[in-house]
Amino acid sequence: MVEMVSTSPPPRDEGETRRDFLLIATSAVAAVGAGLAAWPFIDSMNPAADTLALASTGVDLGPIQVGQRVTVVWRGKPVFIDHRPEKDIAAAEKVDLAQLVDPEPDSARAQKPEWLVVVGVCTHLGCIPLGQKTGEARGPFGGWFCPCHGSAYDTSGRIRQGPAPKNLVVPPYEFTADTIIKIG
Amino acid sequence: MEAPTWKNPVIRWIDDRLPLFTMMQHDLVDYPTPKNLNYWWNFGSLAGIVLVIMIATGVFLAMQYTPHVDHAFESVERIMRDVNYGWLMRYLHMNGASMFFIVVFIHMFRGLYYGSYKSPREVLWILGVFILLAMMATAFMGYVLPWGQMSFWGATVITNLFSAIPFVGESIVTWLWGGFSVDNATLNRFFALHYLLPFIIFALVFLHLVALHTSKSNNPLGIDVKSPQDTIPFTPYYTVKDMFGLGVFMIVYLGFVFFSPNFFGEPDNYIKANPMVTPAHIVPEWYFLPFYAILRAITFDIGIPFTGIVILDAKLLGVIAMFGSIIVLLFLPWLDRSPVRSARFRPVYKQFFWIFLIDCLILGYVGANPPEGYFVILGQLATAYYFAHFLIIMPLLGWLERPRALPSSISAAVTPAGVGIPARGAAE
């Protein structure tokens, strides 16, 4: 029987800690390098500079009449702007916060009481609620009504009934003049 | 070789049902590799790695690219300016194409020098030629996508080659275009095919590797492995060597990407495609230049003498010659009649190998210059020599050349007879 000469490395024993150290150190450096190399690929899928440049929208509120609702596009999503009449403001302010699903006072949702600005996307599964156009169903609370699963919002855009868990989101916005807002 | 037994129960459970881990152990770790491979053997694995880089960068570029004549050029500029790291993706992809061809050309010349195409590796070689053809088609269509002037006119010139086909040529060109010129339909199908072909290349590479691991690696001596002493396991020895080669390669590749990203490009391709204006001097990408020179070398018709009847006109002959220059490679394993593989033991072939390499470089040089003056003659001579190398010199050398004596084994070439490792086996 011919005894074959082994060409593979000798079996590991306690004398090989140096080799183990080199292997682990090399693998660690390689793993860090692979992670760094992966980042440009991942980051290329983030919003590009031109997308970010369109991330804010300016709206002139001047032409919007009392009681009129207007939809503008901000970051590809509808934003509802409601020039609320006195009775809607009063209705929104007198609600008992204890009976709300997502308690928020109306004053925290509207910078100026006559202007309500909310993202027009139902917080349930992303449909656009009805109520912007005259004649559309506004639901039992006079705000908006989502046709997908029956969520009803009040005149402050708060969820009052149905499966949606949160109030309509108030986007970040500021008044740059008396009747001009910049959303985003 | 028996299947390894896996200690990890999850790996063993999977491996009993789908022997993935056993295959990886056999082909990436245990694979018995001749122990005398030199650095020219690095280029196969390098080519594989470049293919993966090209697919990865390509997939991410495709997420940002718009294949429409009105938006393609702008979407590429958006990738360069607005997309996070888009410039890096694109420059890696652009220069990766050039690197891919450099690596593959070296890989092929290594095969020519060491006779890696000969029995039993004919199918391995032929698969390689198919990979080259698929690469050329992919690179050509990819170059059209940025929709610059060179993209457009390169696409126009190359697709017009098919009009040389007798009778049906014009119909074929119209079919390729999906219209009456290179236009939106052409751009769309080129994008679809440019995305498809790399996966076909990937499949061909897989078959290439199956064939390699069936016939086993050639080596610089070109002699068969005689005993286990002639081989070492692929891992760790050649994985480490390939990693080192990869490091050197990446320095070169990334050197171009970061310091001279447009070195291989044409400035004209940063001008949006204009179907009404042809650039003054159209040249293909550098890796097509030798083939382009062969295409243009044929300036004469072949007909029946003294009758004026043309059987094959120059245009068709040029196209045949260009495709023939690659097709001839398919027959190389049978054109080369010499039983000896490595040029180390073929003193005459070794010289013709270097002449052939210079001939290919001359063809590239001619392809880069306008077809006028002495470039025409030079191109014709170099083209004639290209075919003569395969069709005349290779078969004749098999008869006329006296090869030098081959060593009795890979080990014997480095250990004097009766000394060292083989002696132990021989002493029994």
Side-chain angles (χ1 to χ4, degrees):
Chain A
M1 190 61 194
V2 175
E3 195 183 299
M4 301 297 282
V5 177
S6 171
T7 50
S8 55
R12 287 164 181 243
D13 52 35
E14 65 283 351
E16 290 218 81
T17 48
R18 195 175 115 89
R19 176 172 287 182
D20 289 344
F21 171 76
L22 285 172
L23 180 65
I24 292 166
T26 311
S27 307
V29 171
V32 171
L36 288 174
W39 175 245
F41 289 82
I42 297 163
D43 194 33
S44 77
M45 292 172 72
N46 275 322
D50 60 335
T51 311
L52 293 175
L54 299 174
S56 63
T57 302
V59 186
D60 181 5
L61 304 177
I64 305 173
Q65 304 297 313
V66 177
Q68 193 182 357
R69 287 177 173 181
V70 165
T71 305
V72 297
V73 179
W74 172 66
R75 293 187 180 173
K77 288 180 289 206
V79 168
F80 294 165
I81 297 172
D82 185 6
H83 195 169
R84 298 190 292 184
E86 282 301 330
K87 69 171 175 60
D88 281 5
I89 300 171
E93 280 173 347
K94 73 164 203 267
V95 172
D96 177 12
L97 292 190
Q99 56 174 282
L100 292 178
V101 180
D102 182 13
E104 252 184 320
D106 187 59
S107 58
R109 295 179 53 80
Q111 291 180 18
K112 292 184 179 178
E114 63 269 35
W115 297 105
L116 179 72
V117 182
V118 288
V119 176
V121 175
C122 180
T123 56
H124 181 219
L125 292 170
C127 296
I128 297 172
L130 301 174
Q132 282 297 94
K133 289 185 187 137
T134 22
E136 275 184 359
R138 292 187 171 191
F141 299 90
W144 289 270
F145 178 74
C146 184
C148 290
H149 304 96
S151 293
Y153 298 89
D154 66 13
T155 54
S156 189
R158 291 174 297 204
I159 180 66
R160 300 296 291 274
Q161 181 185 303
K166 295 279 180 191
N167 302 333
L168 291 178
V169 173
V170 178
Y173 69 97
E174 56 177 334
F175 280 86
T176 53
D178 247 8
T179 57
I180 296 176
I181 56 167
K182 184 173 148 244
I183 306 172
Chain B
M1 198 176 293
E2 67 200 69
T5 37
W6 300 99
K7 287 204 185 91
N8 184 317
V10 177
I11 289 181
R12 189 167 62 229
W13 187 89
I14 295 171
D15 202 73
D16 287 344
R17 286 150 183 84
L18 177 71
L20 263 186
F21 296 97
T22 296
M23 279 164 59
M24 281 163 58
Q25 176 75 22
H26 279 172
D27 290 326
L28 301 176
V29 179
D30 294 338
Y31 177 63
T33 320
K35 63 183 179 184
N36 59 336
L37 299 190
N38 57 31
Y39 275 108
W40 298 113
W41 263 261
N42 277 54
F43 289 87
S45 77
L46 278 182
I49 291 166
V50 177
L51 174 62
V52 171
I53 293 174
M54 292 303 280
I55 291 178
T57 51
V59 166
F60 281 83
L61 285 170
M63 294 180 191
Q64 312 285 353
Y65 171 76
T66 310
H68 188 284
V69 287
D70 293 338
H71 305 292
F73 187 85
E74 285 79 0
S75 74
V76 172
E77 285 308 304
R78 179 177 170 274
I79 288 170
M80 294 301 291
R81 293 150 198 254
D82 287 345
V83 175
N84 302 324
Y85 293 105
W87 58 273
L88 180 60
M89 300 286 125
R90 174 155 180 264
Y91 281 154
L92 281 172
H93 201 72
M94 257 172 75
N95 289 280
S98 284
M99 292 301 130
F100 204 175
F101 278 97
I102 290 174
V103 163
V104 162
F105 286 152
I106 293 174
H107 186 62
M108 292 175 70
F109 277 106
R110 189 269 286 156
L112 289 176
Y113 188 85
Y114 294 110
S116 300
Y117 48 85
K118 293 190 196 187
S119 175
R121 300 185 182 86
E122 301 94 324
V123 173
L124 178 61
W125 171 261
I126 288 167
L127 281 166
V129 176
F130 284 134
I131 291 171
L132 176 69
L133 281 170
M135 277 174 65
M136 293 172 82
T138 310
F140 161 66
M141 287 189 283
Y143 193 60
V144 177
L145 302 185
W147 208 243
Q149 274 288 67
M150 281 295 170
S151 300
F152 182 88
W153 292 101
T156 301
V157 169
I158 300 299
T159 47
N160 262 315
L161 292 180
F162 292 89
S163 69
I165 299 167
F167 310 116
V168 292
E170 293 296 336
S171 313
I172 286 177
V173 173
T174 306
W175 175 76
L176 285 173
W177 287 339
F180 303 100
S181 62
V182 174
D183 208 335
N184 196 46
T186 325
L187 180 60
N188 257 290
R189 62 189 58 182
F190 277 18
F191 179 57
L193 293 172
H194 183 72
Y195 207 115
L196 167 72
L197 276 173
F199 296 95
I200 291 180
I201 294 176
F202 201 88
L204 285 169
V205 168
F206 182 77
L207 294 179
H208 195 64
L209 283 174
V210 172
L212 173 70
H213 285 227
T214 303
S215 54
K216 305 291 184 219
S217 303
N218 188 27
N219 66 81
L221 295 174
I223 58 177
D224 292 329
V225 166
K226 301 271 166 54
S227 69
Q229 280 89 342
D230 287 344
T231 66
I232 44 178
F234 190 81
T235 299
Y237 298 104
Y238 286 110
T239 30
V240 163
K241 192 174 179 177
D242 281 347
M243 283 299 139
F244 174 72
L246 177 64
V248 174
F249 167 77
M250 289 306 271
I251 290 172
V252 176
Y253 175 23
L254 297 180
F256 280 112
V257 168
F258 289 120
F259 296 103
S260 193
N262 289 299
F263 179 82
F264 296 106
E266 285 291 326
D268 272 14
N269 222 30
Y270 284 101
I271 302 168
K272 193 179 176 181
N274 182 352
M276 297 299 134
V277 180
T278 306
H281 182 40
I282 297 193
V283 279
E285 289 283 83
W286 70 268
Y287 37 82
F288 291 140
L289 289 176
F291 307 102
Y292 194 54
I294 292 174
L295 170 75
R296 296 189 307 185
I298 315 293
T299 52
F300 47 84
D301 301 329
I302 289 183
I304 302 165
F306 313 116
T307 59
I309 298 171
V310 174
I311 298 170
L312 295 169
D313 65 6
K315 186 173 164 185
L316 179 58
L317 278 172
V319 174
I320 291 172
M322 185 180 72
F323 284 107
S325 68
I326 294 166
I327 301 304
V328 72
L329 294 172
L330 293 172
F331 299 95
L332 180 59
W334 297 277
L335 290 168
D336 183 349
R337 307 298 303 164
S338 174
V340 175
R341 293 196 191 101
S342 175
R344 279 193 190 174
F345 305 104
R346 300 186 61 190
V348 187
Y349 171 67
K350 186 193 266 185
Q351 294 173 32
F352 278 109
F353 169 85
W354 291 110
I355 296 171
F356 176 70
L357 178 61
I358 292 165
D359 186 61
C360 290
L361 295 175
I362 291 172
L363 281 171
Y365 174 66
V366 169
N369 283 284
E372 48 198 37
Y374 79 96
F375 286 117
V376 178
I377 299 294
L378 189 60
Q380 288 173 340
L381 289 175
T383 300
Y385 186 82
Y386 181 97
F387 286 100
H389 176 84
F390 289 111
L391 299 175
I392 300 169
I393 295 169
M394 293 299 269
L396 281 183
L397 281 182
W399 290 93
L400 302 175
E401 185 182 47
R402 267 181 67 98
R404 289 169 45 207
L406 295 174
S408 60
S409 76
I410 290 170
S411 295
V414 286
T415 47
V419 185
I421 294 166
R424 276 182 69 181
E428 298 290 320

